[in-house]
Amino acid sequence: MQLVFDGHNDVLLRLWRNMKAGGDPVAEFAGGTAGGHIDAPRAKKGGLGGGLCAIYIPSGDLVLSDPDADGYYATPLAAPLDYAPSLDIALEMASIALRLDRAGAWRLCRSVAEIRKAMADGVFAAVMHMEGCEAIDVDLVNLDVFHAAGLRSLGPVWSRHNIFGHGVPFAFPMTTDTGPGLTDAGFRLVTECNRLGIAIDLSHITEKGFWDVAKTSDQPLIASHSNAHALTPVARNLTDRQMDAIKESGGLAGLNYAVTMLRPDGRDDAATPLSDMVRHINYMVERMGIDCVALGSDFDGATIPQQISDAAGNQNLVAALKTEGYADEDLAKLCRENWLRVLGKAWQE
């Protein structure tokens, strides 16, 4: 079994929603549940040793557009969110992360050494991430507070605009060049993340925003859950030129398990073969090299192939990659070592 450190999941969103409905997030994660994709028992069964766990403020108005006869669709961007309610939700999700840590259900990690120790101890190694910074004020005052609570990674935007930049819509087929990049506040956010040692994730930002970060940040470029646009031309996937920049910076792209970002036809169909996942891995490895490709499942945030199903099925992808000819050393890089190397650089270790 190859132990996996995964670059993106939305388990905090699922736990938060269930908590609002009267559930106990600690019991749900520690004891296991039939719903969603990740909990401690299924993670252990599938060799999922840890990952970046997103604080994400949901957009209640977002409804994915139905594809036309050709499978094409274009969902309008979600509306921007107000700061105060976003902060409330973000604090509630951060509280869940801290409660899980205190209960021993997972270990909230702030360094690569802590990640390795947690995985060696058989405890899920969680890293607090923020997907879309609607909960961060324009003066970045509470960024310090979230950092103190354990935030070590953030994406300036999700697929909606905010005070820091512009997100890409859910659309197929569509270019990645969908709008403006960082705002003045966004440039300040990138600079402050560099100072604090918070990794910057580019998976939902426009292509112009990608290049704005690339020219401003001193960190490796990270697209935690994005695939190859040349194979599946959704706006969220990476162009060859973007992958070249990631390679040059010593960064990485994490394979997104979302079927709409894997299939050649872009359809939301769980009957998506593992070969589509392997095809994207092969393309990214050929373009960027084995050191710049990793996994970013989007567990609890997307429809994933039924042959994976949930965290317990992670080794099915590992087996498919092994069958493809990837050696154990390369599989270790894809499954965890590339993430740990890049996070260590971003965190100034």
Side-chain angles (χ1 to χ4, degrees), residues 92-124:
E92 290 172 351
M93 290 189 186
S95 174
I96 292 172
L98 292 164
R99 287 163 60 189
L100 288 166
D101 181 71
R102 286 196 301 271
W106 72 18
R107 199 170 295 167
L108 194 57
C109 299
R110 296 167 171 83
S111 69
V112 171
E114 290 180 359
I115 294 171
R116 290 194 185 279
K117 180 65 165 62
M119 292 196 298
D121 292 342
V123 180
F124 188 89

Side-chain angles (χ1 to χ4, degrees), residues 208-222:
K208 288 185 174 66
F210 177 101
W211 296 116
D212 284 344
V213 173
K215 72 183 182 185
T216 306
S217 179
D218 59 15
Q219 298 177 4
L221 299 176
I222 296 171

Side-chain angles (χ1 to χ4, degrees), residues 9-348:
N9 70 70
D10 288 295
V11 67
L12 283 173
L13 173 65
R14 191 194 82 220
L15 295 174
W16 173 81
R17 280 176 164 158
N18 291 346
M19 181 185 74
K20 297 306 246 185
D24 179 345
V26 173
E28 180 178 338
F29 187 85
T33 177
H37 293 145
I38 298 180
D39 52 43
R42 285 182 288 178
K44 188 175 290 291
K45 182 177 180 181
L48 181 61
L52 275 75
C53 301
I55 292 172
Y56 161 71
I57 315 303
S59 283
D61 65 330
L62 182 69
V63 178
L64 294 177
S65 300
D66 292 327
D68 63 18
D70 296 318
Y72 298 175
Y73 62 90
T75 301
L77 279 169
L81 300 180
D82 292 334
Y83 166 67
S86 297
L87 177 59
D88 288 344
I89 294 172
L91 290 172
E92 290 172 351
M93 290 189 186
S95 174
I96 292 172
L98 292 164
R99 287 163 60 189
L100 288 166
D101 181 71
R102 286 196 301 271
W106 72 18
R107 199 170 295 167
L108 194 57
C109 299
R110 296 167 171 83
S111 69
V112 171
E114 290 180 359
I115 294 171
R116 290 194 185 279
K117 180 65 165 62
M119 292 196 298
D121 292 342
V123 180
F124 188 89
V127 174
M128 191 187 296
H129 169 77
M130 186 173 286
E131 185 177 30
C133 288
E134 285 81 5
I136 303 296
D137 59 292
V138 69
D139 295 320
L140 308 180
V141 172
N142 63 21
L143 184 62
D144 285 307
V145 178
F146 279 107
H147 180 262
L151 185 71
R152 290 296 181 271
S153 174
L154 62 78
V157 299
W158 184 67
S159 287
R160 60 192 168 221
H161 304 329
N162 64 24
I163 61 173
F164 300 111
H166 298 79
V168 296
F170 295 97
F172 173 89
M174 181 174 277
T175 173
T176 62
D177 185 13
T178 62
L182 294 177
T183 64
D184 289 343
F187 282 106
R188 293 196 300 272
L189 175 65
V190 170
T191 300
E192 187 65 4
C193 285
N194 284 180
R195 185 185 73 81
L196 289 171
I198 297 175
I200 301 164
D201 180 17
L202 302 169
S203 276
H204 280 272
I205 204 165
T206 61
E207 187 172 359
K208 288 185 174 66
F210 177 101
W211 296 116
D212 284 344
V213 173
K215 72 183 182 185
T216 306
S217 179
D218 59 15
Q219 298 177 4
L221 299 176
I222 296 171
S224 71
H225 54 307
S226 294
N227 300 334
H229 191 271
L231 300 182
T232 306
V234 295
R236 283 262 289 100
N237 279 342
L238 296 164
T239 66
D240 287 356
R241 185 166 169 251
Q242 287 175 305
M243 284 191 276
D244 292 344
I246 289 171
K247 176 182 179 180
E248 185 177 350
S249 76
L252 64 74
L255 178 79
N256 193 323
Y257 296 10
V259 296
T260 56
M261 297 175 65
L262 290 167
R263 297 174 60 90
D265 60 11
R267 291 185 181 272
D268 189 17
D269 183 357
T272 295
L274 293 179
S275 59
D276 280 346
M277 304 178 81
V278 173
R279 190 168 58 101
H280 278 269
I281 288 278
N282 287 343
Y283 189 96
M284 292 192 289
V285 167
E286 182 176 350
R287 190 80 196 187
M288 295 184 288
I290 193 68
D291 293 327
C292 296
V293 184
L295 304 179
S297 67
D298 216 353
F299 279 143
D300 282 315
T303 302
I304 65 173
Q306 60 190 17
Q307 288 177 274
I308 302 292
S309 182
D310 58 25
N314 235 357
Q315 295 300 313
N316 294 337
L317 172 60
V318 177
L321 290 169
K322 192 161 190 172
T323 299
E324 186 72 6
Y326 286 92
D328 286 344
E329 180 182 357
D330 290 338
L331 290 171
K333 289 182 177 183
L334 294 172
C335 288
R336 62 185 179 277
E337 295 302 325
N338 289 342
W339 262 119
L340 300 185
R341 172 186 60 82
V342 169
L343 289 176
K345 280 187 163 184
W347 296 344
Q348 304 166 14

